[in-house]
Amino acid sequence: MSTLPKDFLWGGALAANQFEGGWDKGGKGPSVVDVMTAGSNIVPRQITETIEPDKFYPNHEAIDFYHNYKEDIALFAEMGLKCLRTSIAWSRIFPKGDEDEPNEEGLQFYDNVFDELLKYGIQPIITLSHFEMPLYLAREYGGFKNRKLVDFFVKFAETCFTRYKDKVKYWLTFNEINNQMDTSNPIFLWTNSGVTLKEGENAKEVMYQAAHHELVASALAVSKGKEINPDFQIGAMIAFLPVYPYSCHPEDIMLAEESMRTRFFFSDVQVRGYYPNYALKEFEREGYNIKFEDGDEEILKNGTVDFIGFSYYMSTTVKHDAVKEKSEFIVNGELEKGVENPYIKASNWGWGIDPTGLRYALNLLYDRYQIPLFIVENGFGAIDYVEEDGSIHDQYRINYLKGHIKAMKKAVIYDGVDLIGYTPWGIIDIVSFTTGEMNKRYGMIYVDRDNEGKGTMKRLKKDSFTWYKNVIKTNGEEL
Ligand code: P53
């Protein structure tokens, strides 16, 4: 095979909270991101207790796909997308999270969106939980620290599986479930698990307890999903930032190996169905008391995933004798002994640009797990400039994507990695997750809206739009 498979899924990726808007429309309840203010690459986003009238919450309106979905989907169709990865906002379906009955208006909204996509032959790829837990579950129950969340999530998953069983085939349970391994910035535990740390709590212990509940919830969802439709493909979703050793010093090699566990832990459990020894040893060594209930081991074993979805943006590097200087940037996946890689240039947000790292990542994951992979996020956040005639020349974005697609093709065609598809992040400009900015743009479609939420919301095609359209048309032959 010298080309990508004919049915390769070229698409785009989004998350409900970052583009839908309509945060309080159609009976939707507030979610954990609805109390997050805007920040920047150096100013962290704040998590406020309630929604304060004088503060700006960029996700509330986002790019208002809620009211524009037909026009936006028509643009996706024009680009030739074969699939669209997005999420179902949990609090549209269960506004508080613990109701007996789902919110019909929320369910109907996704029927409308999926029907519109399918009309153009665009397959929806659905994430169940993408940083959108109902706020009530976080505030009243303490998020996933609380075992009760398992049932609430499974009920939500079952409701979605049943309703959309003939419209959606590929599902992902929890987006970037491993972000919370980085407990240095509170937004990761908050968005993954709805957890706020209390005085005196051990961050890692709390994180692992919430993680255990999510792993159980994910496994139960997989089992239920298969009962509802045996053709479902249900995957894990991890943020995969491979860790390089700074040098061939044996201690650098070993440190990189150990650091990779922060990337592999969740998928190890979700793919293999049991905890890896390095994690059990860590619990023992650190004295973490992680509560497992009877039957949990069985649940994990029976609910292994069909494929691994992952995001790849950059690689990271560790050096055993590094003196840690806190990075000026807010980057997820920071490591104790992380250093800059002298061979790699970074974006304005400090994210390294390393296409070969994607080939490396694909090989690492495929060799370790031997199940299909799906690149469900990859892309370049940058500031774009609109010319007088409305054109946007984003050659930097084309260069980034081109390099990564080349590396991906090499992994498939040369290395033999089994890859389902590629959905670049933010196919249309959306609100940035880590910073809440609008000006950190990933899209191939520009949205006229700025960091303060001002603008006409007009959509404009960037140069990358035409470029990617041709990539899809030629199945990746013309880059
Ligand atoms: P923004 C870091 C590293 C890799 C993936 O991020 C990451 C992060 C941030 O935790 O998260 C994903 O918008 C996430 C998306 C997010 C995207 O990266 O901060 O799944 O929700 O928007 C890009 O530039």
Side-chain angles (χ1 to χ4, degrees):
M1 188 180 65
S2 60
T3 55
L4 291 169
K6 285 217 159 41
D7 56 355
F8 189 76
L9 285 177
W10 295 98
L14 298 159
N17 75 87
Q18 288 171 268
F19 84 121
E20 279 181 3
W23 73 285
D24 60 353
K25 297 282 181 309
K28 180 182 168 294
S31 78
V32 290
V33 285
D34 289 326
V35 291
M36 285 169 66
T37 63
S40 73
N41 56 352
I42 47 170
V43 179
R45 302 182 73 174
Q46 302 296 315
I47 302 164
T48 60
E49 192 53 40
T50 54
I51 291 156
E52 296 173 22
D54 58 332
K55 291 221 155 75
F56 175 56
Y57 299 94
N59 299 70
H60 284 189
E61 200 184 1
I63 62 157
D64 200 24
F65 173 83
Y66 190 76
H67 295 107
N68 288 290
Y69 70 91
K70 289 198 176 159
E71 292 81 357
D72 287 340
I73 292 173
L75 284 169
F76 301 156
E78 188 185 332
M79 220 190 290
L81 300 193
K82 297 191 187 307
C83 70
L84 182 78
R85 172 187 174 226
T86 184
S87 61
I88 294 178
W90 187 346
S91 67
R92 249 185 227 299
I93 311 302
F94 289 98
K96 284 163 75 190
D98 63 354
E99 296 90 342
D100 288 332
E101 294 302 322
N103 170 34
E104 175 55 32
E105 216 179 327
L107 287 167
Q108 188 57 50
F109 171 67
Y110 291 104
D111 267 322
N112 298 345
V113 170
F114 298 164
D115 289 345
E116 193 68 17
L117 288 168
L118 293 167
K119 180 173 115 186
Y120 295 106
I122 304 173
Q123 178 174 164
I125 311 284
I126 297 303
T127 318
L128 287 167
S129 181
H130 195 130
F131 314 157
E132 295 149 346
M133 171 192 298
L135 182 63
Y136 186 81
L137 293 185
R139 294 280 188 237
E140 295 302 314
Y141 290 86
F144 266 99
K145 212 169 82 175
N146 188 331
R147 177 85 193 195
K148 289 197 180 118
L149 268 275
V150 173
D151 294 340
F152 298 141
F153 175 79
V154 174
K155 179 158 187 177
F156 163 61
E158 259 192 281
T159 306
C160 296
F161 289 152
T162 308
R163 178 82 170 215
Y164 309 118
K165 66 177 184 326
D166 300 321
K167 297 183 184 176
V168 179
K169 176 180 171 189
Y170 288 97
W171 299 86
L172 299 155
T173 54
F174 290 93
N175 183 63
E176 293 190 338
I177 187 166
N178 59 318
N179 277 357
Q180 52 199 329
M181 280 284 192
D182 179 354
T183 51
S184 67
N185 180 341
I187 73 166
F188 300 123
L189 252 179
W190 177 246
T191 49
N192 272 141
S193 300
V195 167
T196 319
L197 290 172
K198 299 209 180 69
E199 276 280 306
E201 277 182 333
N202 181 308
K204 282 268 143 62
E205 186 173 28
V206 170
M207 187 277 292
Y208 278 120
Q209 185 64 67
H212 178 66
H213 293 150
E214 277 150 29
L215 290 166
V216 168
S218 172
L220 283 170
V222 171
S223 301
K224 293 268 184 216
K226 295 283 178 175
E227 279 168 29
I228 294 165
N229 183 349
D231 292 335
F232 277 171
Q233 292 293 300
I234 308 176
M237 165 36 175
I238 54 171
F240 201 72
L241 302 93
V243 187
Y244 296 160
Y246 183 78
S247 76
C248 51
H249 191 301
E251 292 303 328
D252 282 352
I253 305 290
M254 207 51 233
L255 179 62
E257 169 76 19
E258 241 189 83
S259 305
M260 283 301 288
R261 294 170 185 168
T262 61
R263 317 304 198 222
F264 281 133
F265 167 70
F266 287 89
S267 44
D268 279 354
V269 182
Q270 289 176 296
V271 176
R272 296 170 176 158
Y274 56 88
Y275 274 66
N277 280 350
Y278 62 77
L280 298 175
K281 283 288 175 194
E282 183 185 350
F283 300 167
E284 193 184 300
R285 193 170 59 241
E286 303 294 336
Y288 299 157
N289 174 24
I290 312 300
K291 291 182 209 73
F292 283 54
E293 279 190 5
D294 288 348
D296 282 359
E297 284 180 5
E298 205 59 24
I299 291 170
L300 294 177
K301 205 170 82 196
N302 293 333
T304 56
V305 292
D306 298 308
F307 70 96
I308 299 174
F310 70 100
S311 64
Y312 175 82
Y313 291 89
M314 60 192 140
S315 56
T316 47
T317 304
V318 288
K319 189 167 184 284
H320 74 284
D321 53 358
V323 183
K324 177 76 183 160
E325 283 172 33
K326 182 94 183 101
S327 158
E328 61 175 312
F329 297 113
I330 298 158
V331 179
N332 167 36
E334 270 209 68
L335 298 160
E336 232 348 79
K337 300 274 181 186
V339 290
E340 265 176 39
N341 182 331
Y343 304 102
I344 290 173
K345 291 204 185 76
S347 78
N348 290 344
W349 279 263
W351 292 30
I353 304 166
D354 175 18
T356 304
L358 177 58
R359 180 179 165 212
Y360 179 64
L362 284 159
N363 277 283
L364 274 186
L365 287 167
Y366 193 59
D367 281 348
R368 191 173 181 108
Y369 300 125
Q370 298 281 298
I371 61 171
L373 305 177
F374 200 155
I375 303 168
V376 295
E377 280 183 38
N378 171 238
F380 190 62
I383 294 173
D384 292 327
Y385 299 94
V386 184
E387 307 291 333
E388 253 168 51
D389 64 356
S391 57
I392 297 139
H393 306 305
D394 59 340
Q395 192 57 42
Y396 36 89
R397 183 169 295 108
I398 296 175
N399 293 345
Y400 178 99
L401 294 168
K402 194 186 286 191
H404 286 74
I405 294 173
K406 271 189 193 157
M408 164 184 98
K409 282 174 70 181
K410 186 140 193 189
V412 175
I413 295 165
Y414 183 94
D415 301 320
V417 168
D418 184 358
L419 185 65
I420 300 167
Y422 176 74
T423 60
W425 180 247
I427 198 78
I428 181 167
D429 291 345
I430 54 174
V431 177
S432 155
F433 161 53
T434 41
T435 70
E437 294 167 294
M438 209 36 233
N439 283 343
K440 187 184 188 190
R441 298 172 185 275
Y442 287 85
M444 304 185 197
I445 301 164
Y446 183 90
V447 179
D448 180 26
R449 179 175 162 89
D450 67 15
N451 286 348
E452 282 79 46
K454 297 193 193 79
T456 60
M457 290 279 195
K458 199 170 155 185
R459 275 60 166 156
L460 295 167
K461 291 174 205 166
K462 304 182 193 176
D463 286 356
S464 54
F465 182 100
T466 319
W467 172 81
Y468 190 51
K469 182 176 176 175
N470 192 51
V471 171
I472 300 177
K473 200 171 115 205
T474 62
N475 200 25
E477 288 305 292
E478 285 175 27
L479 292 179

